[in-house]
Amino acid sequence: MSPEQETESARERRAAREAQLIASDQAREKARALKLYDFPGGVHPPENKHQSTGEPIGSIPLAEDLVVPLNQHVGGTAMPLVKLGEYVMKGQKIAEADGLISCPVHAPSSGKVMAIEPCAVPHPSGMPADSIVIRTDGEERWCDLIPCEDFRGEEPVDLLEKIRECGIAGMGGSGFPTEVKLDPHGGAEIDTLLINGAECEPYITADDMLMRERAEEIIAGVKILAYILDEPERVLIGIEDNKPEAIMAMRAAAEDSRIDIVVLPTKYPSGGEKQLIQILTGREVPNRGLPANIGVICQNVGTARAVYRAIRFGEPLISRVTTVVGRALERQRNIEVPLGTPIRHILKHHGAHRGLMQRIVIGGPMMGYTIDDDSTPVIKTTNCILVPTDEELPPAPPAQACIRCGFCAEVCPASLLPQQLYWYARVDDREKLQAYNLFDCIECGACSYVCPSTIPLVQYYRAAKGDIRIAEAEKEKSDRARERFEFRKLRLEKAEKEKEAKREERRKAAELARKQREENAGSPEAKSAQQEADVVAAALARVKAKQASPEQQLARAQRALSSAEQRVERMQKKLEAAEESQRGQLAAQLKEAEIRLREARQKLAQAEEKAGAAPAESAEKSKAQNAIEKAKAAAAARASMSDADKLAADIDALKARVKKAEARLEKARAEDDSNVGAFETALEKMQKKLEEKMREQQSAGDQN
């Protein structure tokens, strides 16, 4: 490079640096103009964040088996869409969301489904949960993705559906489905979008490193979120002042946009959703309320980046940045790891010393929880894996009696009375717990941190919340049952009153007719009516005598036998085609039908003996017998069919039934039948069964 070129290059660098400084000064002035508030309480524990920020975000080799839990979010567990032995591609949806508050699950890598069974999952209870185990093939073959070049050309509702289909959930807290959070119900007007980059928990630096290295993607995701929310008045990104590199990177990425980067004083737990809202807006989320109730939507920086990847490239949420830290490890850093990766595999590639490990903590030392099984996988909410030594994080000493010092109340960021909640939790006083706003507790652990008696207060609160939720669910179930019972009781009483009214009307009409007959007993018309009544009575007597004849009894016995035989045939077919869970009930019904068939044969034999008829085997077969033989032939033909032919036959039969049910529903609607609801339900069940059969046929065709 010539001296002139070097000088020119130096000038350009200096000019760029000056522009950056000017932009930084402008950003600082803009941030100063935004008034910051404070929340009550809070603590300043040792940060311990430098250990994992010494190198860029890394990666590790792909694990042989990925354990993908079906519930990595708040809400309903996803429903599996794959079967054992099925090959799946990276990014393929393998479980569908079950209900509004739920998220689909996708394959983090390509491979073969080895199991669908309960496995260890990251949860404070330590209980296993349903998961899909994928044996990876190492090829990382992606499924087809649908990218979007310009999100502004799409409708917000379509972007929300895309976010839902990509399984995006909150990556900084409990994992609430992002699509539901971005679509607040009740017509709430959102004027502020907050992006949480505070990351106040000690040891955790996943968001810090993400903002340093992926700031452009985060800002792009924030713009998409603002577009979906109809461009709220304010878009704020809150970052604690102990992250200068992240602040600089985010300011550079947000330049020439209306997004404000706001620097917060470092205090735990400023990263709590309610606390961050209070700091930046001065508003308080109401008891058991949502941020949307006060016009605010809050999302994590990792969630914003996941939204960008989902909209721009069509990528589902199948990996995340996780902090791997602790003195029991040879290497401490942040890695981007596929969801479902066992923690054992991660520790292996970070040089974990088993002799030094005190325990494995998911999350930080304040809000994290210990796991006992290192086969537990990484999920959407796993932001940190902490592996401390005894010196680094000593075990808590035994709890002592509460001395009512009040320190816990002083540091509580929700302005609660932790010691009172502790006493009520110990005696299981649920009414008092709710009266003292137990559910406003964010379980930050600040009270446990300052407690001189080392009482595990948060554990008491978590257990009490779980008990209350179970009790409320049982009460709701009981209330629904009581409502159904009362409604049925009222319906029966109404029906009985209507019957009684009709009986009274008939009684009055009969009484009136009797009086008229008595008054007109001597008239010619009465005599003629009496003669007609005598003729009718005589005819009824002849019919009754004919019905009681041996020939009539024989005919009835033959019809009863035919009906019993047909019922046995039907029950046998149902039992052959039934699933394992239904076989017991159908077998009992078949046994009852066979008993009735024997009784019908005995009655037929008695009737034949009385009528002097020939034995049951006659030269000509009855119509019922022909039907039975036809059914037997059909069953034999089905037995010789292949699985594919049986499936095709079942589909044809279901199509015919669906068509017949649709015609019946249309007729019921036209006649304003009261059973329209029942017909609609039956049609939906048949259509759903037909769709399942067709998917099964398509799956079988794909495998072939």
Side-chain angles (χ1 to χ4, degrees):
M1 179 183 297
S2 65
E4 293 79 5
Q5 291 176 333
E6 185 175 358
T7 303
E8 183 65 25
S9 177
R11 288 199 198 97
E12 292 177 356
R13 288 197 301 271
R14 186 163 50 254
R17 178 59 179 166
E18 290 174 355
Q20 184 178 5
L21 291 174
I22 293 172
S24 298
D25 292 338
Q26 292 174 347
R28 281 193 291 272
E29 290 298 327
K30 194 174 183 181
R32 290 193 191 100
L34 180 68
K35 181 180 178 181
L36 296 181
Y37 301 83
D38 195 10
F39 62 88
V43 293
H44 295 84
E47 296 177 6
N48 286 311
K49 292 180 178 287
H50 64 280
Q51 296 97 316
S52 56
T53 57
E55 57 179 289
I57 298 173
S59 61
I60 59 175
L62 185 65
E64 181 182 5
D65 288 333
L66 298 178
V67 182
V68 187
L70 295 177
N71 193 336
Q72 305 180 40
H73 48 269
V74 170
T77 301
M79 306 299 291
L81 298 177
V82 294
K83 298 179 180 179
L84 289 177
E86 182 175 341
Y87 181 82
V88 296
M89 303 183 74
K90 186 175 182 179
Q92 176 183 334
K93 186 194 294 186
I94 57 177
E96 183 61 86
D98 184 18
L100 175 64
I101 312 298
S102 184
C103 272
V105 177
H106 301 77
S109 184
S110 58
K112 184 178 181 181
V113 177
M114 303 302 295
I116 304 176
E117 61 187 8
C119 298
V121 297
H123 193 272
S125 68
M127 297 179 64
D130 290 339
S131 307
I132 297 175
V133 181
I134 299 175
R135 177 69 51 82
T136 59
D137 59 7
E139 297 182 6
E140 297 280 66
R141 297 175 57 190
W142 278 90
C143 66
D144 293 334
L145 302 179
I146 304 176
C148 175
E149 295 286 345
D150 181 15
F151 67 88
R152 297 188 184 278
E154 303 288 336
E155 292 294 328
V157 65
D158 296 329
L159 297 179
L160 283 174
E161 182 61 26
K162 181 78 171 181
I163 291 171
R164 178 178 176 83
E165 284 299 306
C166 287
I168 309 299
M171 300 176 69
S174 59
F176 197 86
T178 302
E179 177 265 342
V180 179
K181 201 170 185 180
L182 291 173
D183 188 19
H185 299 277
E189 294 186 3
I190 307 301
D191 58 29
T192 304
L193 171 62
L194 296 187
I195 305 300
N196 191 343
E199 198 172 45
C200 58
E201 178 89 4
Y203 283 97
I204 306 177
T205 59
D207 289 347
D208 184 2
M209 296 303 296
L210 192 66
M211 289 187 287
R212 295 187 195 187
E213 302 184 19
R214 310 281 196 273
E216 293 80 6
E217 294 186 353
I218 295 172
I219 295 300
V222 174
K223 292 178 180 178
I224 295 173
L225 296 176
Y227 173 74
I228 292 174
L229 294 173
D230 195 20
E231 301 296 345
E233 296 177 10
R234 295 185 297 176
V235 182
L236 310 176
I237 301 179
I239 308 174
E240 284 191 332
D241 57 12
N242 61 353
K243 304 175 181 62
E245 294 88 348
I247 293 169
M248 184 177 296
M250 292 293 286
R251 280 177 173 167
E255 192 176 4
D256 298 329
S257 72
R258 66 186 193 89
I259 300 171
D260 294 330
I261 309 299
V262 185
V263 180
L264 320 174
T266 298
K267 183 172 74 167
Y268 180 85
S270 61
E273 183 178 62
K274 294 182 179 180
Q275 285 66 44
L276 183 64
I277 291 173
Q278 191 169 358
I279 291 171
L280 296 181
T281 68
R283 305 173 189 174
E284 293 188 32
V285 180
N287 180 31
R288 289 219 176 189
L290 298 173
N293 301 141
I294 57 172
V296 179
I297 293 293
C298 186
Q299 296 285 357
N300 175 262
V301 290
T303 309
R305 184 209 176 207
V307 167
Y308 166 72
R309 303 291 301 182
I311 299 301
R312 175 62 185 85
F313 303 105
E315 292 181 8
L317 181 54
I318 57 174
S319 67
R320 68 156 296 137
V321 175
T322 299
T323 303
V324 185
V325 66
R327 294 181 187 173
L329 303 174
E330 292 182 358
R331 190 177 190 185
Q332 304 179 60
R333 58 173 178 162
N334 284 272
I335 59 172
E336 183 152 12
V337 58
L339 304 182
T341 302
I343 290 176
R344 177 193 302 125
H345 181 74
I346 297 174
L347 299 183
K348 174 185 175 182
H349 288 278
H350 287 80
H353 294 280
R354 296 287 172 176
L356 298 177
M357 288 171 49
Q358 181 213 85
R359 52 182 168 146
I360 301 174
V361 179
I362 301 296
M366 301 294 289
M367 298 185 68
Y369 53 89
T370 302
I371 60 169
D372 298 324
D373 190 345
D374 62 3
S375 66
T376 299
V378 170
I379 62 173
K380 296 177 182 179
T381 58
T382 308
N383 55 1
C384 180
I385 301 171
L386 174 59
V387 190
T389 62
D390 285 329
E391 294 78 12
E392 184 178 16
L393 204 63
Q400 300 177 10
C402 174
I403 60 174
R404 293 186 176 273
C405 62
F407 292 164
C408 54
E410 292 178 5
V411 301
C412 179
S415 299
L416 302 177
L417 296 176
Q419 63 181 14
Q420 293 300 120
L421 293 175
Y422 164 65
W423 290 114
Y424 295 139
R426 289 194 59 176
V427 298
D428 198 22
D429 190 339
R430 296 171 185 168
E431 291 184 1
K432 287 289 187 180
L433 286 169
Q434 296 195 70
Y436 278 76
N437 300 323
L438 170 66
F439 283 90
D440 278 356
C441 172
I442 63 173
E443 302 177 17
C444 65
C447 53
S448 300
Y449 179 75
V450 300
C451 180
S453 298
T454 64
I455 300 173
L457 297 170
V458 174
Q459 295 184 21
Y460 283 98
Y461 306 153
R462 284 176 179 168
K465 286 180 181 179
D467 292 341
I468 291 174
R469 291 190 183 101
I470 293 173
E472 289 179 345
E474 291 295 330
K475 183 179 181 299
E476 184 179 355
K477 183 179 178 181
S478 176
D479 290 343
R480 286 199 301 267
R482 185 180 66 256
E483 289 174 1
R484 289 197 302 269
F485 172 77
E486 292 176 352
F487 178 77
R488 180 177 181 273
K489 184 179 178 180
L490 291 173
R491 179 171 54 81
L492 293 176
E493 289 177 355
K494 181 180 178 181
E496 185 61 30
K497 288 180 180 179
E498 292 176 352
K499 290 181 181 178
E500 184 62 29
K502 290 180 180 179
R503 283 196 292 267
E504 183 64 20
E505 290 178 1
R506 289 196 297 269
R507 187 188 65 77
K508 289 181 179 179
E511 183 67 20
L512 180 62
R514 183 184 64 78
K515 290 181 179 180
Q516 291 177 350
R517 286 196 302 271
E518 290 177 353
E519 292 174 357
N520 301 326
S523 64
E525 292 82 2
K527 292 181 180 179
S528 176
Q530 183 63 37
Q531 291 175 355
E532 291 179 359
D534 293 341
V535 171
V536 171
L540 290 174
R542 288 195 299 273
V543 170
K544 186 174 181 180
K546 185 177 180 181
Q547 289 178 343
S549 65
E551 291 79 7
Q552 190 68 20
Q553 291 180 1
L554 177 61
R556 280 205 302 268
Q558 289 174 342
R559 289 196 298 271
L561 176 62
S562 176
S563 177
E565 289 175 340
Q566 291 179 9
R567 179 171 175 80
V568 170
E569 290 291 333
R570 288 197 304 271
M571 295 308 301
Q572 288 175 343
K573 291 179 181 179
K574 286 185 178 180
L575 183 59
E576 291 175 358
E579 297 178 354
E580 189 64 30
S581 59
Q582 300 174 340
R583 285 183 173 272
Q585 182 179 359
L586 291 175
Q589 294 177 0
L590 176 60
K591 186 68 175 179
E592 182 182 354
E594 290 174 346
I595 292 173
R596 291 184 179 180
L597 177 59
R598 287 198 297 271
E599 293 175 352
R601 286 173 177 167
Q602 292 175 358
K603 290 181 179 179
L604 177 60
Q606 294 173 359
E608 287 176 343
E609 184 177 355
K610 289 180 180 180
E617 295 183 0
S618 59
E620 296 182 359
K621 294 181 179 179
S622 65
K623 183 178 179 181
Q625 289 172 330
N626 289 335
I628 293 172
E629 291 183 359
K630 184 177 179 181
K632 289 181 178 179
R638 183 177 176 84
S640 62
M641 294 168 63
S642 65
D643 292 341
D645 293 338
K646 288 180 181 178
L647 185 58
D650 291 342
I651 290 174
D652 292 338
L654 281 171
K655 287 181 178 178
R657 290 176 62 191
V658 167
K659 187 175 181 181
K660 184 176 179 181
E662 289 173 344
R664 181 173 57 186
L665 177 59
E666 290 299 326
K667 182 179 177 182
R669 287 173 175 168
E671 297 175 354
D672 197 17
D673 196 325
S674 60
N675 296 318
V676 168
F679 292 152
E680 289 176 345
T681 301
L683 178 58
E684 290 175 0
K685 289 182 178 180
M686 282 189 282
Q687 288 174 336
K688 185 176 181 181
K689 191 171 182 180
L690 176 59
E691 292 173 358
E692 291 175 355
K693 290 288 186 181
M694 294 181 72
R695 283 199 299 268
E696 184 178 348
Q697 186 183 44
Q698 183 178 2
S699 177
D702 294 340
Q703 291 179 356
N704 293 333

